[in-house]
Amino acid sequence: MTERYSRQQLFQPIGNKGQQQIRSKHVLVVGAGALGSASAEALVRAGIGKLTLVDRDYVEWSNLQRQQLYTEQDAQNKLPKAVAAKNRLRQINTEVKIEALVMDAQPANLESIVQTADVIIDATDNFDTRFILNDLSHKYEVPWIYGSCVGSYGTTYTVIPNVTPCLHCILKKVPVGGATCETAGIISPAVQIVAAYQITEALKILVEDVEALRHTFLTFDVWNNQHAEFKTGKMKSDKCSSCGSTRTYPYLAYENQLKTEVLCGRETVQIRPSQRHLYNFDELEKRLKKQGKVDRNPYLLSCQLPEQRFVIFQDGRVFIHGTNDIQFARSLYYRLLG
């Protein structure tokens, strides 16, 4: 091991052996926003062997207050977060193999990655994706670490397949509604605290110090000086369809049809074609210039309409900013892309 990890190796629970284990492991971080930025940087600085980043979004100016890997230039260029994160992380540690994937976190996209991962870090902004991660975790027996934050509040929980209750056991179903960063805001310290807990748990798993894992569901409000945690052991259900004795993994079911959703807490609709579609950006730019101002980079093309902004990714996904009306968004999608 190089001198760069010497202080980490001096920490007795890690040591030289633990550092070698960290160096041989693969971590999947789903989401490259605030939590994903903090977690990815910590893992890369710790000397993880391989890091895979999955994110569907691009850098915007409102991200810069708390998403520590990104710069004003990234926002100006509308770089996909996964790509911008990889660019910065490679400057931090060239020894780490970094894979950046600009795509939706769906079962078909994640399944092969999860099978090679040693730990999954949840850095998403919605429970639909978290329940997908929960099912994939149990299907392939890969630990995952849940985390979320909004305002000055944060929560985290570590899921070990066949040992702890899963997220489905605890929450029963996907929560609907609730505060988001768009409605309640968020302060950076809440992000850093959740990420610190998540990465600490990840390091314990990577060095196989399972006795040190925290078996509680932890919440805090850093502004109002509140901290609470509760034991979850008795919440494990043998009837759970995600982790019980007759598992069906309900959140991995996929319907082969157009997927449309309002992004969490944002006046934005995402439309995802049922099959991956690669656009010819040159032809698309010529067509959309008749509708409004067009900007592009190698990963996405953006068209500013009078009241909406239309963003097309290389994998065929479309963001329509400026509306929460799914029917209107679909109509606009078909009118512009046919």
Side-chain angles (χ1 to χ4, degrees), residues 174-332:
V174 176
V176 177
T180 69
C181 297
E182 293 288 321
T183 60
I186 187 168
I187 57 173
S188 183
V191 174
Q192 298 301 323
I193 293 171
V194 173
Y197 277 116
Q198 287 185 293
I199 293 304
T200 303
E201 291 288 279
L203 288 172
K204 294 174 189 177
I205 294 169
L206 294 174
V207 302
E208 301 174 10
D209 189 2
V210 295
E211 296 298 320
L213 288 169
R214 188 193 69 253
H215 296 294
T216 59
F217 194 98
L218 182 147
T219 66
F220 66 84
D221 186 329
V222 67
W223 194 269
N224 293 303
N225 308 307
Q226 297 172 351
H227 179 281
E229 50 187 313
F230 61 86
K231 295 181 179 180
T232 61
K234 294 183 179 180
M235 302 179 75
K236 187 168 178 59
S237 172
D238 188 56
K239 296 180 180 179
C240 176
S241 56
S242 294
C243 73
S245 58
T246 55
R247 308 174 186 183
T248 58
Y249 308 116
Y251 297 97
L252 301 186
Y254 181 81
E255 298 163 8
N256 191 29
Q257 61 183 22
L258 188 72
K259 300 289 183 177
T260 310
E261 62 180 317
V262 178
L263 298 190
C264 179
R266 297 167 64 179
E267 195 179 19
T268 300
V269 173
Q270 175 182 256
I271 297 178
R272 175 167 50 87
S274 58
Q275 296 182 346
R276 182 179 174 88
H277 180 86
L278 296 178
Y279 286 106
N280 183 319
F281 274 11
D282 291 333
E283 294 180 1
L284 200 56
E285 182 175 7
K286 291 178 183 178
R287 189 198 316 179
L288 291 180
K289 274 185 174 179
K290 301 174 183 178
Q291 307 294 331
K293 183 178 183 297
V294 173
D295 295 305
R296 61 181 281 193
N297 60 42
Y299 312 98
L300 59 85
L301 184 147
S302 172
C303 178
Q304 183 63 55
L305 305 173
E307 296 184 10
Q308 285 80 35
R309 182 154 49 92
F310 200 77
V311 180
I312 305 100
F313 292 83
Q314 273 287 5
D315 63 0
R317 289 178 301 114
V318 172
F319 283 2
I320 301 175
H321 297 286
T323 182
N324 286 331
D325 186 330
I326 288 178
Q327 291 303 117
F328 170 77
R330 283 183 173 179
S331 174
L332 185 62

